[in-house]
Amino acid sequence: MRRRVWPQSIEAWLLLLPSVVLFATFTHVPVVRTLIDSFYSTPKGARPSRFVGLANYQDMAADPIFWKVMVNNAIYAVGTIPASIALALLMALWVDGKIAGRGLLRMAYFTPTVLPMIAVADIWLFFYTPSYGLLDQIAHLFGFSATNWLGHPHSALAAIMVVTVWKEAGFFMIFYLAALQQISPDLREAASIEGASRSTFFRRVTWPLLKPVTLFILVNAVINAFRTIDHIFLMTGGGPDNATNVLLFHLYEVGFKFWDQGQATALTIVLIAILSTLALIQFLVAGRGVHYR
């Protein structure tokens, strides 16, 4: 038996070798290289980079903008992740039922997903334009004054979060809809015979069966919350007064606007560490209640 298994193991590893090499080349090696570069200063002109130890991390921790960015990103994540997932689930439950125009409704919900984020930003810039935008035009009908949604520090981040939820909910809905269609109708019939209400059926049957998909969506939503940059770049540029500045946008500014490569690599390591920690927590905590068939 061992003689048979050993050649099969070698063959399996040889088949996996090309993918492992590509994965390591474009994922693990760059991460290790970035970690090493984070301990070096930024080369300037004829002066090469030199080893500075933890100086880049110390400068980053002493920068008040960095902590402002971290708070903004935390608020952005807490505000967009639950809202996107909840809205996606509600839309999936709605279009999974037997309603008139179900196909058109599904297409309408999914349309924002296929639009490029730059196009989405342009659409919502029209909505948010003071006095002339769609939101203020509607507000004028009810006697409200114009509001500079993207120009005020207290409303700019919330306005950006609305755009994100509108864009992502339709994408997550597709996964929930596919999972709902895999649930056997026999379960609904059995629950109906037993006299279970719709809420009870959802809580005891539908939601447990949706947990694997929810974990997958949750991981993607967390990653998206920390890699957002497109619509922020076009709509606010991180302003006003860094009110919409998040970690990836701050990394872009430090690395390509201020050309501080040492600081940018340190920020990259922080971003990787945050995403890795959150992913680990999700699989250890949320993954406990997930059962695959």
Side-chain angles (χ1 to χ4, degrees), residues 1 25 28 57 79 82 95 149 171 190 194 229 244 266 283 293:
M1 181 64 69
T25 301
H28 293 84
Y57 294 94
V95 298
W149 299 98
F171 177 67
E194 293 294 331
I229 187 174
T244 58
F283 280 102
R293 293 185 297 173

Side-chain angles (χ1 to χ4, degrees), residues 231-244:
H231 57 311
I232 292 178
F233 185 89
L234 183 63
M235 298 179 71
T236 62
D241 193 24
N242 292 304
T244 58

Side-chain angles (χ1 to χ4, degrees), residues 18 36 44 55 58 76 95 111 125 173 199 206 245 266 276 280-281:
I36 296 174
K44 295 182 179 179
Q58 292 172 349
Y76 180 88
V95 298
T111 298
L125 275 175
M173 178 205 70
S199 61
T206 304
N245 197 352
S276 301
L280 182 62
I281 292 174

Side-chain angles (χ1 to χ4, degrees), residues 56-71:
N56 289 324
Y57 294 94
Q58 292 172 349
D59 294 341
M60 179 181 61
D63 185 7
I65 296 180
F66 168 74
W67 295 109
K68 173 70 173 177
V69 165
M70 293 293 288
V71 172

Side-chain angles (χ1 to χ4, degrees), residues 217-239:
I217 293 174
L218 181 61
V219 172
N220 281 271
V222 170
I223 294 174
N224 291 342
F226 284 89
R227 69 177 183 88
T228 180
I229 187 174
D230 305 34
H231 57 311
I232 292 178
F233 185 89
L234 183 63
M235 298 179 71
T236 62

Side-chain angles (χ1 to χ4, degrees), residues 15-266:
L15 291 172
L16 289 173
L17 185 60
S19 299
V20 171
V21 170
L22 288 174
F23 186 72
T25 301
F26 294 100
T27 305
H28 293 84
V29 173
V31 170
V32 173
R33 182 61 188 175
T34 302
L35 177 62
I36 296 174
D37 290 342
S38 68
F39 299 112
Y40 286 81
S41 63
T42 302
K44 295 182 179 179
R47 188 183 69 183
S49 60
R50 58 185 180 84
F51 182 79
V52 293
L54 297 176
N56 289 324
Y57 294 94
Q58 292 172 349
D59 294 341
M60 179 181 61
D63 185 7
I65 296 180
F66 168 74
W67 295 109
K68 173 70 173 177
V69 165
M70 293 293 288
V71 172
N72 288 345
N73 219 144
I75 296 173
Y76 180 88
V78 171
T80 58
I81 294 173
S84 298
I85 295 176
L87 183 59
L89 179 58
L90 289 175
M91 292 191 302
L93 291 171
W94 177 254
V95 298
D96 186 51
K98 296 180 180 180
I99 57 176
R102 182 174 59 179
L104 292 176
L105 193 58
R106 289 178 180 178
M107 184 180 66
Y109 286 159
F110 187 69
T111 298
T113 300
V114 300
L115 295 176
M117 184 57 87
I118 300 301
V120 171
D122 284 330
I123 293 172
W124 280 90
L125 275 175
F126 165 70
F127 290 167
Y128 288 138
T129 301
S131 299
Y132 301 100
L134 180 62
L135 294 181
D136 277 354
Q137 290 292 332
I138 296 175
H140 287 162
L141 298 177
F142 296 94
F144 295 101
S145 59
T147 303
N148 190 359
W149 299 98
L150 298 175
H152 198 284
H154 296 295
S155 60
L157 185 59
I160 294 293
M161 290 161 59
V162 170
V163 177
T164 301
V165 173
W166 183 80
K167 167 75 172 172
E168 292 187 346
F171 177 67
F172 297 151
M173 178 205 70
I174 295 300
F175 297 100
Y176 273 130
L177 182 59
L180 287 171
Q181 292 177 346
Q182 295 299 316
I183 298 177
S184 174
D186 296 339
L187 297 176
R188 294 186 176 90
E189 294 179 4
S192 178
I193 293 173
E194 293 294 331
S197 63
R198 296 181 64 181
S199 61
T200 301
F201 179 78
F202 175 80
R203 188 174 66 256
R204 297 295 180 88
V205 179
T206 304
W207 179 243
L209 293 176
L210 292 178
K211 283 186 177 180
V213 178
T214 302
L215 179 60
F216 172 79
I217 293 174
L218 181 61
V219 172
N220 281 271
V222 170
I223 294 174
N224 291 342
F226 284 89
R227 69 177 183 88
T228 180
I229 187 174
D230 305 34
H231 57 311
I232 292 178
F233 185 89
L234 183 63
M235 298 179 71
T236 62
D241 193 24
N242 292 304
T244 58
N245 197 352
V246 291
L247 188 55
L248 189 59
F249 187 83
H250 181 57
L251 193 158
Y252 159 77
E253 283 192 318
V254 171
F256 296 98
K257 187 175 180 180
F258 307 125
W259 208 251
D260 190 347
Q261 297 179 10
Q263 191 75 241
T265 52

